[in-house]
Every structure is written in structure tokens, then in C-alpha cells.
Amino acid sequence: MASPDNLAGPLASLYEARKGVYPKKVDGPFRRFKWLVMAVTLAIYYGTPWIRWDRGPYAPDQAVLVDLANRRFYMFQIEIWPHEFYYVAGLLIMAGIGLFLVTSAVGRAWCGYACPQTVWTDLFQHVDRLVDGDRNAQIRLANGPWTFEKISKRTIKYLIYLTIAFWTGGAWIMYFADAPTLTVQFWSGQAAPVAYGTVAVLTATTFILGGFMREQVCIYMCPWPRIQTAMMDEKSLLVTYKDWRGEPRGSVKKAQAHPGAFGDCIDCNQCVAVCPTGIDIREGPQIGCITCALCIDACDGVMKQVGRPRGLIDYCTLDDAAVEKTGGQGKPVIKTLLRPRTLIYFGVWGAIGLAMLFSLGQRTRLDLAVQHERSPLYVQLSDGHIRNNYTLKLRNMETRPRKVEIGVSGLDGAQLWTEAGSRETATQRLTLDLTPDSVTRVKLFVAAPGQGPARQDFTIETRGLDGDPRGDADTIQFDRPGTGQ
């Protein structure tokens, strides 16, 4: 049997050691767009918990809040209760279809611009340039000995990493409690242990994934690069190196010495130097490409310097690539985007969104659930009437107290009263006061004449008396003698 030492070599050869990636600073329209997306997404993430939204005196004033203690989700004017979780499911479905839409249209643009891993990795790479310098300086420092300068720069950089990671974890917990209050409790040591634990875990994961693993998360850990191939086809826009134009490669001097013998690519490797995942786009489509298009900015800059047309690396579909290889002209971008597949995705996405908005606008803020008490099934009163007992759950989803009316239909001669009343005070309709944003349990007694079917369906209904008459109803059974236990 082979010893572990003998197996170490063959097994080790199955895994490639990580090569350091040191992206070079670049400027261009796609880089500026990445700056914009990073600024907007980080501002939304860090700033949203601090936005206030007045919902009245009976509800929290934080614009976006996941109130686990009271089982509520607030998003500006929208309030989601636990029984309305299907709205959250709808948002997740919209997010999935939106991701399919973006991928079918422009490849992995989500990965290149808005994915949290991309945003924080980009932020940490800017910290690298701030502390260590640009690409060449970073490589020299990484390969150099551990001098005082290297130790001091590493210390400063890692402290900045930790600060960013800490505020990332700290911002997350602000979505689950009132942000100003939780901040005071956190720094005074009065917050719940789960708050400190959550911040610690998210600080560690952000520090490790954004600071050290970076492109490994995109290439090895994330499942989306494997899934995205099913979302793309020959008509999807991809970052493409036009080899029919660039090959064979040769420097400017060689091209000048041998006119017509070389393509436009001068083999400067700037497209590789700026890539945040360290790939060479000239090798064709590959799993490491996140479609950030920084290689387009770098290549266009070089082409401008050497006096050649831009677009050697560009967004291009496989269909257009085949046309351009034969000297033809590809379709305009707008026609590429507005094709049946993307329009269907957009239509489904929009339909779900409109349906949810319509449902939100039409939903009642008063909910009724009725349970028939089975012990006893019924009670025969001295005047010959039969009494059934019910438990009502009245859910007031408004952030204000409400006055509502309870009535019945489909049960002739029925009279109602609650535990606070009596048979002598029974009426055909009752008025109740509901506290804000709460569920009120009421024991309801319903008496009806003894003559009638043994089991009769009827409806208990409620409606508002405060200017909003919308309510709810629940159909239940009324039992008389002869139904059995």
C-alpha cells in the first residue's frame, strides 16, 4: 500500500495554487459605471436603516425594519405580517426572474457590478491601491522580504479591512432593530448577545472573503457561474475578444515593419492586468469572467494610443461574432436586447410586480379567523334557543386603534354577545374596539332558534366603523341537537 507521503504528490497536483491577483487601475466608461454602482449600493446598505418613516404613534418609525420580536416586516409604507409572507416569496421570485433577464441579455453583468462579493472586493482592492500603490508596487511588496515598510503597510491595510468589515456586520443588525437605539445599546454593552455574535461572524466573513479569497469565491464557491450557462444563448451580449481582428498578435514595431502581417492586438497584456479575477479574456469565454468590462476600458485606451479603432474587446453576441468574422455588421445593441426571450422574462417579471402591487392596494387591513369550540358542541338554553361558542381572532393591521362591527348572516334569528355581556344584552350586531397593530381574541356566543337543520353553515363578518368599511368574513357551522359528538 502506498504511504501518505507517496500520495501527497499526485493529490497535490490536482489543485492549482492560488496566484495573486493585483488589478491595475484603469479609467473608462465601464470603470466609472462600477464606481457609480458601488457608491449607490454601499450607500443603500449602510444608510437605509437610518431612514425614518412616520407610521403614527403605534408603529416603529424606521423605514426598513425586520421586526422579529413582533413578527413584522416594514418597508416604507408597506407592512407585511407573518400570514402575508407570500409577498416576500413574490419578491424573491422577481429577484430570480430579474437575474435570468439580466443574464440572458448581458451575461454575468450582475456578477460584474452589483453582486455583494464584487462590490466589497472592489472596495478592498481600492484600499490595496491606497496603501500599497498600483499593480507593480503591490507585486513588488508581495514578493519582497518582510521589512518594516511591508509590516507597517500590511498592518494599516488589514486595520482598514477590519474597519470596513466591522461596519458591514454592524449595518446588518440595524435592519432588525431600531438603529439609533441598537447603536447605543451595542456600544454600551447592553445589546443582546446575538447582536454581538452576528457582527462578529459577518466581520470575519467580510474580512476573509473580501480581503483574501476574492476571485476564489466567484470561481469556486458561487454556484451562479455554473447555472448562468443555461440562461445565455448565442444572442446574449458577452465580453468578447475579437480574435479575427486581433490575431496574430504583434508589437507596434513589428506591425510597422511588416504591414498586414499582424492583427490589432499588440500583446500589451493590459486586459489581463486590469482583470479583477486575473483571467486572460483573449483565451475566450471562461468561468472566471464576471463581465465587468474593465478589459474593454483598458483595451480601448491602448487602441486610442496606437491609433487603431476601439472594440477589439467589446460586448458582442456569438451570432454577431460569426457575422463580423465574415466581414459583416452585427446587430445594434438595442435590437439585441429587445428580443423575444428577454421580452418574455421582462413581461413575467413585470406581471408579478404589478400583481403584487394590485394585491397590496386591495388587501384589507382587518382580518378575521373563527374557531368553533367543540366542548360543549352546543348548549340548549331555557327558552329553547341553542347556543354555540366561538373564538374570534381579529387582526388589526393598522397602526391605529379601530372600532369594528361584528355581525352574522345566513342564520335567522341569531343573537350575539361576548364574555363582557350576557344573554339579556344580546343583539344582532356587536361593536368592538381593537388595539393598534395587534390580534384581539374574543369569545363570541351565538344563540339561534332550536328549530332548524342539525348542522347549518352561516357567516360571521366584520367591518370597520372608522371610515374604512372594508372587512373580512369567515364561514362556520352552527350545530343543533342531533349532530352527535
Side-chain angles (χ1 to χ4, degrees):
M1 179 180 292
S3 67
D5 292 339
N6 294 332
L7 292 174
L11 289 177
S13 65
L14 296 176
Y15 302 95
E16 182 182 9
R18 179 178 184 264
K19 298 176 182 178
V21 178
Y22 308 96
K24 184 179 180 180
K25 183 179 179 181
V26 66
D27 187 34
F30 294 105
R31 175 63 264 183
R32 290 191 286 272
F33 184 64
K34 277 181 68 71
W35 275 113
L36 175 63
V37 173
M38 182 174 69
V40 171
T41 52
L42 290 177
I44 291 174
Y45 177 74
Y46 290 117
T48 298
W50 301 92
I51 300 175
R52 301 294 98 184
W53 192 267
D54 186 12
R55 299 185 181 90
Y58 303 100
D61 64 350
Q62 186 163 308
V64 179
L65 177 65
V66 182
D67 190 356
L68 295 179
N70 296 304
R71 295 182 295 176
R72 303 283 189 281
F73 172 58
Y74 299 95
M75 180 179 287
F76 297 96
Q77 195 61 33
I78 299 174
E79 177 184 353
I80 303 298
W81 284 58
H83 72 287
E84 297 176 317
F85 191 78
Y86 50 84
Y87 287 114
V88 178
L91 288 175
L92 293 176
I93 293 172
M94 288 186 66
I97 295 175
L99 195 56
F100 298 161
L101 169 63
V102 171
T103 303
S104 67
V106 288
R108 293 175 62 191
W110 160 263
C111 301
Y113 295 97
C115 172
Q117 175 65 19
T118 296
V119 171
W120 266 269
T121 293
D122 199 22
L123 179 61
F124 279 29
Q125 286 173 344
H126 290 307
V127 173
D128 293 344
R129 296 190 190 100
L130 176 66
V131 178
D132 296 340
D134 206 359
R135 173 181 167 83
N136 292 336
Q138 293 178 36
I139 294 174
R140 285 196 301 268
L141 190 66
N143 296 332
W146 282 92
T147 62
F148 175 77
E149 178 188 12
K150 183 173 181 177
I151 294 173
S152 60
K153 285 188 174 181
R154 285 291 185 269
T155 302
I156 293 171
K157 184 169 69 172
Y158 294 161
L159 285 175
I160 297 175
Y161 283 3
L162 279 172
T163 301
I164 295 172
F166 173 77
W167 284 111
T168 300
W172 178 256
I173 64 172
M174 299 301 168
Y175 286 88
F176 297 87
D178 182 67
T181 303
L182 182 57
T183 300
V184 173
Q185 293 176 344
F186 187 89
W187 290 107
S188 63
Q190 300 175 0
V194 68
Y196 296 103
T198 302
V199 172
V201 170
L202 291 179
T203 298
T205 54
T206 305
F207 181 76
I208 295 171
L209 299 182
F212 302 97
M213 297 188 68
R214 296 185 179 178
E215 79 285 350
Q216 291 178 297
V217 174
C218 302
I219 297 174
Y220 301 112
M221 294 176 61
C222 180
W224 185 237
R226 283 85 182 166
I227 301 173
Q228 53 116 11
T229 54
M231 299 294 106
M232 297 188 298
D233 56 20
E234 294 80 3
K235 295 178 175 59
S236 300
L237 284 169
L238 307 175
V239 175
T240 304
Y241 168 66
K242 300 179 180 179
D243 57 347
W244 61 92
R245 174 184 156 185
E247 301 295 328
R249 307 172 196 171
S251 66
V252 175
K253 290 183 178 180
K254 288 183 178 180
Q256 291 174 345
H258 303 86
F262 294 95
D264 285 345
C265 181
I266 63 173
D267 208 17
C268 62
N269 282 325
Q270 291 302 301
C271 56
V272 181
V274 301
C275 181
T277 60
I279 69 164
D280 188 343
I281 191 63
R282 296 172 297 180
E283 296 177 358
Q286 50 203 288
I287 199 171
C289 180
I290 60 173
T291 320
C292 65
L294 295 183
C295 53
I296 298 179
D297 285 338
C299 188
D300 285 351
V302 172
M303 292 296 102
K304 182 178 181 181
Q305 291 176 4
V306 300
R308 298 176 184 178
R310 69 160 302 276
L312 177 59
I313 302 175
D314 206 357
Y315 272 103
C316 182
T317 69
L318 294 179
D319 282 351
D320 286 345
V323 172
E324 291 185 20
K325 280 184 180 181
T326 60
Q329 185 70 30
K331 292 181 181 179
V333 173
I334 189 65
K335 287 187 177 181
T336 301
L337 295 177
L338 299 179
R339 58 193 180 95
R341 183 173 182 177
T342 56
L343 292 176
I344 290 173
Y345 278 137
F346 182 78
V348 174
W349 181 84
I352 295 173
L354 290 175
M356 289 177 59
L357 287 175
F358 179 79
S359 177
L360 282 169
Q362 295 298 315
R363 65 177 179 169
T364 177
R365 307 305 291 156
L366 184 61
D367 187 58
L368 172 67
V370 181
Q371 182 178 0
H372 191 178
E373 294 188 6
R374 314 302 295 179
S375 181
L377 189 63
Y378 57 85
V379 174
Q380 188 163 9
L381 304 178
S382 58
D383 60 359
H385 280 63
I386 303 298
R387 188 193 77 195
N388 282 203
N389 304 339
Y390 303 90
T391 298
L392 275 57
K393 290 184 180 179
L394 292 155
R395 183 183 288 112
N396 176 18
M397 292 181 281
E398 297 278 2
T399 57
R400 58 186 174 87
R402 299 194 66 184
K403 186 180 291 293
V404 299
E405 184 181 71
I406 304 295
V408 299
S409 61
L411 188 64
D412 295 337
Q415 291 186 316
L416 320 174
W417 69 96
T418 65
E419 289 180 306
S422 64
R423 179 71 174 85
E424 289 72 22
T425 61
T427 60
Q428 293 184 342
R429 308 191 79 84
L430 296 174
T431 300
L432 299 175
D433 293 317
L434 304 182
T435 54
D437 200 29
S438 63
V439 177
T440 301
R441 297 174 67 94
V442 177
K443 189 169 184 179
L444 181 69
F445 302 101
V446 179
Q451 296 78 22
R455 177 165 290 178
Q456 180 178 359
D457 290 337
F458 75 106
T459 302
I460 299 178
E461 53 195 17
T462 180
R463 67 182 185 92
L465 298 176
D466 53 0
D468 184 2
R470 292 181 299 174
D472 196 14
D474 197 359
T475 300
I476 198 73
Q477 292 177 338
F478 187 87
D479 289 315
R480 292 183 175 89
T483 62
Q485 297 290 335

